Amino acid sequence: MSKVNLDWANIGFNYHKTDKRYVAHYKDGKWDKGELVDDAVLHLSECAEVFQYCQQCFEGLKARRTKNGDIAVFRPDMNAKRMHDAAIRLEMPPFPEDQFIDAVKQVIKANLDWLPPYGTGASLYLRPFMIGTDPIIGVSSANEFEFRIFCTPVGPYYKGGAKPISLLVSDFDRSAPHGTGNIKAGLNYAMSLYDHTLCKAQGFDENMYLDPATRTYVDETGGSNFIFITKDNEVVTPLSDSILPSITRRSCMYVAEHYLGLKTTQRKVRFDELKDFAECGVCGTAAVISPVGRVVNHGEELIFPSGMEHPGPITEKLLNTLSGIQECEIEAPEGWILKVEE
C-alpha cells in the first residue's frame, strides 16, 4: 500500500516531486553505469549546450498497477528505440537500449509509494531525457551529455477524460519539411507553445496542424497523432514525414486490425475530407486516446457525427481495448508488456 497520501482520482496531469531519479553521464566517448539519486535539481553551466542550442531529446511512458497487483509498463523497448533514433538525428550519443530498460525498472522500484493504486485512473508517468551539458559557445555538438529519468503520478491529460475535445486549426507550423517533426525533441514542442496559448485563450483544447509545405493535409496536434474513422469503420491515420512516430498510434492501428477486425490505412489525409469521417481521435502516451468532437478553421465549424457528448463507437472500442491491454486485463501481443518485479 502506498505511503503517499494523494487524491489519486483528481491529481491531473501535473508534476509531483518523487523520491528517486536515475542519472547517467556521457564523457570521454562513453556512458557511465548510471545511478539513482535524490537530487531533483540539475547543476549546469550557464553556457551548457542545452541552453544555448537546445541539444535535447526526451520520451514519455507509463507504469500502471494492475488488478492483480502487478506493475506493468507498456512497450518501453519502443521508447528506447525512438530515443535512439532522436539522438542520432540530433548528433547525440544514443543511450544503450538495454540500459534504458534497466533504468526504467530502477526508477519504478525506487518510487513505488508514488505508483497510483489500481482503479483510480492514474498512472506513474516516466520522463526520460537527454541533454548536452558541457559549455559550448560556438555552434557545434556537445561533447558531454546527461541522461536522466524522473517519474511523477499523473491523471488524464485532458480534464474531461473521454469527453470529446475541440480543436482549432493553427495558422502556424509545428515543424518544417525535412525537419525534426519526426523525432521527440523539445524544440518541436517549443514551436507550438505560442499557438497553443492562442487556442486555449479561444476556448479550444488543442491545435490541429496542417502540413507545412502545402497546408492541404492533416499532420498532428501539438502533442498527439490523429486517427480517423470512416463511415464504413475503416481506421485511417495520416502519413507524413513531419509526424512523430507515436507508439500509441502504432499500437492503436494494430489493435484495430488484429483485435477489432477493422481495415486500417495510413495515408495522406486532406483537410477538406474531414467532413467525410464519422469519428476522430487523438492518441499519445499522455492522452492514450481522446475523442475529437469538433474542428474550427477560421470560423468554419465541423462537428463529427459522433458529436460532442460521447466518443464514437469505434473510438470507444479502441480506447477500451488498448487500455485493457495496458492494464493487463486483455491479453497483449508478445513483448508489449514489461512486468516489473517489486
Side-chain angles (χ1 to χ4, degrees):
M1 181 64 67
S2 172
K3 298 175 183 177
V4 175
N5 184 22
L6 290 177
D7 182 4
W8 298 108
N10 296 292
I11 57 175
F13 201 87
N14 301 300
Y15 172 74
H16 298 266
K17 180 184 173 184
T18 53
D19 298 330
K20 300 283 186 178
R21 60 276 311 139
Y22 177 93
V23 180
H25 295 96
Y26 181 90
K27 190 174 182 179
D28 299 326
K30 63 181 180 181
W31 287 102
D32 64 24
K33 65 179 182 180
E35 62 178 343
L36 291 171
V37 301
D38 297 325
D39 194 356
V41 179
L42 282 73
H43 304 271
L44 299 173
S45 166
E46 63 188 352
C47 195
E49 171 82 11
V50 65
F51 301 140
Q52 304 308 314
Y53 302 114
C54 202
Q55 197 171 19
Q56 179 263 15
C57 61
F58 72 101
E59 276 298 324
L61 62 158
K62 289 179 178 179
R64 296 171 174 84
R65 180 72 73 179
T66 67
K67 189 174 184 178
N68 65 4
D70 290 338
I71 301 170
V73 188
F74 185 69
R75 308 191 77 177
D77 57 315
M78 299 287 282
N79 295 98
K81 175 65 169 61
R82 190 169 63 180
M83 193 169 200
H84 173 281
D85 295 344
I88 293 294
R89 177 64 177 82
L90 294 172
E91 282 296 315
M92 304 172 80
F95 194 71
E97 294 179 34
D98 57 345
Q99 192 173 351
F100 181 104
I101 299 299
D102 182 63
V104 166
K105 293 178 181 178
Q106 288 190 48
V107 170
I108 293 170
K109 289 193 283 188
N111 293 284
L112 288 177
D113 285 341
W114 296 90
L115 182 66
Y118 171 79
T120 60
S123 56
L124 188 67
Y125 183 83
L126 286 86
R127 171 56 61 84
F129 66 94
M130 188 195 305
I131 58 173
T133 56
D134 51 327
I136 301 287
I137 197 65
V139 179
S140 64
S141 174
N143 299 300
E144 298 177 7
F145 297 85
E146 180 171 316
F147 171 86
R148 180 178 285 242
I149 302 179
F150 68 85
C151 66
T152 180
V154 297
Y157 188 72
Y158 294 109
K159 291 182 180 179
K163 188 173 181 179
I165 62 174
S166 296
L167 305 182
L168 178 68
V169 176
S170 178
D171 290 329
F172 299 92
D173 296 327
R174 180 178 179 272
S175 60
H178 312 296
T180 57
N182 62 341
I183 64 170
K184 201 167 180 69
L187 56 91
N188 294 333
Y189 295 80
M191 292 281 287
S192 70
L193 295 179
Y194 177 77
D195 22 314
H196 181 72
T197 301
L198 290 179
C199 90
K200 285 284 190 178
Q202 296 177 64
F204 294 89
D205 296 289
E206 185 57 277
N207 282 297
M208 170 182 281
Y209 290 97
L210 305 182
D211 78 286
T214 70
R215 299 192 58 79
T216 302
Y217 301 98
V218 175
D219 262 6
E220 58 184 342
T221 72
S224 303
N225 282 186
F226 279 106
I227 53 172
F228 297 100
I229 315 298
T230 68
K231 292 174 182 177
D232 58 357
N233 294 339
E234 178 184 354
V235 182
V236 178
T237 190
L239 175 66
S240 168
D241 292 336
S242 297
I243 289 177
L244 183 73
S246 164
I247 296 165
T248 306
R249 186 257 300 162
R250 285 177 280 174
S251 302
C252 280
M253 298 300 277
Y254 184 94
V255 165
E257 180 178 358
H258 296 278
Y259 282 69
L260 303 183
L262 302 173
K263 181 181 178 182
T264 61
T265 303
Q266 185 177 20
R267 62 171 174 81
K268 288 187 174 183
V269 175
R270 299 190 320 275
F271 177 74
D272 64 10
E273 68 175 300
L274 261 59
K275 63 184 183 302
D276 300 325
F277 289 114
E279 303 175 38
C280 174
V282 295
C283 56
T285 298
V288 188
I289 304 173
S290 291
V292 175
R294 70 174 183 139
V295 177
V296 176
N297 182 28
H298 292 100
E300 294 186 11
E301 181 180 73
L302 166 67
I303 297 181
F304 290 97
S306 51
M308 287 297 297
E309 294 302 318
H310 305 285
I314 300 300
T315 302
E316 188 169 35
K317 286 181 182 178
L318 279 171
L319 173 59
N320 291 342
T321 306
L322 184 60
S323 296
I325 291 171
Q326 292 175 334
E327 294 169 5
C328 299
E329 295 181 2
I330 296 174
E331 185 175 357
E334 184 176 357
W336 277 27
I337 300 294
L338 172 70
K339 295 285 184 69
V340 177
E341 298 292 335
E342 296 189 48

